[in-house]
Amino acid sequence: CQRLGPHLKQLLPLLWDSMSGAVLAAAAALPVAGAAAPPGAAVKSEGGGAGSVKQERAAAGGGAAVDPQSIIHALQLVKVLLPYLHPQLQPEGIQLLPSVVACLQHANAGVRLAAARCLGVVSAAAPEASVPCILRHLLPLLDGTQPTATRLGATEAAAQLERHLGPSLVPYVVLLLVPLLRRMSDPVGEVRQRVAACFGALTSLLPLAQGRPLPPGLDPQQAAQALQDQAFLEQLLDNKK
């Protein structure tokens, strides 16, 4: 990346296609990020069993048209290359992030983990450019109507963001806390366990976020949601109110 600079895509088109092709194809075979699960899938997800995950994803498509190992390899390339892309190519790299988030819905746990780790590394490399986009597509996946596999992938991604960003996540912490709080009562034990650990770590950052202006890059809906969630959390955590 450093040697080829803005000419990477032109001089190594196969590398670029290897990075983006499988991720885009997998995302195209999955439900739209943020779309509610079909009613039947939502009912099944409440069961919480390992078998229900496979049934839900099979019913929703599950991205099975693309070999999971190919998707994992492509996500690894995104994780390695995107943080070092030339500034002229970075916007094209950022455009891959919604597809990476979509891979959190995949039936294969390895794909979900690879996508979550990819998001963590990329977010740490360019927080202002990537985190608003990631959260825009990630937070709807934490909704209780989503299939179990999707909620597992989304909670893993939230944990990876916390792990890689650390204090850099402070400007965005209010956007994550309320959706995670809703998942504390999730019917699936594994989801609750992941959420509890992540929520505890993020709560310690909340005092640092008080009084800070909204971070750049949020769309109007995100900005309004951040203000609403901040007021709610202040009332929840302040015993005087």
Side-chain angles (χ1 to χ4, degrees):
C1 289
Q2 293 175 351
R3 176 175 295 184
L4 299 180
H7 308 294
L8 173 67
K9 184 178 179 181
Q10 177 183 358
L11 296 177
L12 295 176
L14 291 179
L15 178 63
W16 188 273
D17 290 344
S18 297
M19 177 179 72
S20 61
V23 174
L24 292 172
L30 288 160
V32 177
V43 171
K44 291 179 182 176
S45 69
E46 297 300 312
S52 66
V53 175
K54 296 181 179 178
Q55 294 169 1
E56 292 161 0
R57 305 312 300 138
V66 184
D67 175 45
Q69 195 59 50
S70 298
I71 305 172
I72 292 172
H73 288 160
L75 290 167
Q76 181 68 16
L77 282 174
V78 175
K79 183 175 74 171
V80 171
L81 293 179
L82 204 151
Y84 299 101
L85 286 179
H86 189 274
Q88 292 184 22
L89 292 178
Q90 189 181 72
E92 289 190 66
I94 296 298
Q95 289 177 7
L96 291 174
L97 293 180
S99 296
V100 175
V101 174
C103 290
L104 297 171
Q105 304 172 81
H106 202 280
N108 186 289
V111 172
R112 298 197 301 269
L113 180 59
R117 288 175 173 173
C118 177
L119 293 170
V121 171
V122 170
S123 67
E128 290 188 5
S130 63
V131 174
C133 176
I134 291 172
L135 293 182
R136 190 175 303 121
H137 297 274
L138 171 64
L139 297 183
L141 303 185
L142 287 167
D143 190 88
T145 62
Q146 297 290 348
T148 303
T150 298
R151 302 199 310 279
L152 286 170
T155 53
E156 179 60 42
Q160 291 292 332
L161 291 177
E162 184 275 323
R163 186 173 303 146
H164 286 276
L165 282 166
S168 298
L169 191 56
V170 167
Y172 311 96
V173 69
V174 294
L175 284 169
L176 269 170
L177 278 172
V178 173
L180 288 173
L181 181 62
R182 296 192 183 104
R183 297 272 53 78
M184 295 284 277
S185 59
D186 196 278
V188 179
E190 188 176 357
V191 174
R192 293 196 303 272
Q193 183 178 5
R194 292 182 184 182
V195 167
C198 188
F199 185 85
L202 291 176
T203 300
S204 66
L205 300 177
L206 188 57
L208 301 177
Q210 294 180 348
R212 294 176 62 106
L214 293 177
L218 300 181
D219 62 29
Q221 183 178 356
Q222 286 178 305
Q225 190 65 53
L227 294 174
Q228 180 181 336
D229 289 352
Q230 185 173 21
F232 170 76
L233 290 168
E234 287 176 354
Q235 293 179 351
L236 181 67
L237 300 176
D238 189 348
N239 293 329
K240 297 179 181 180
K241 295 184 179 181

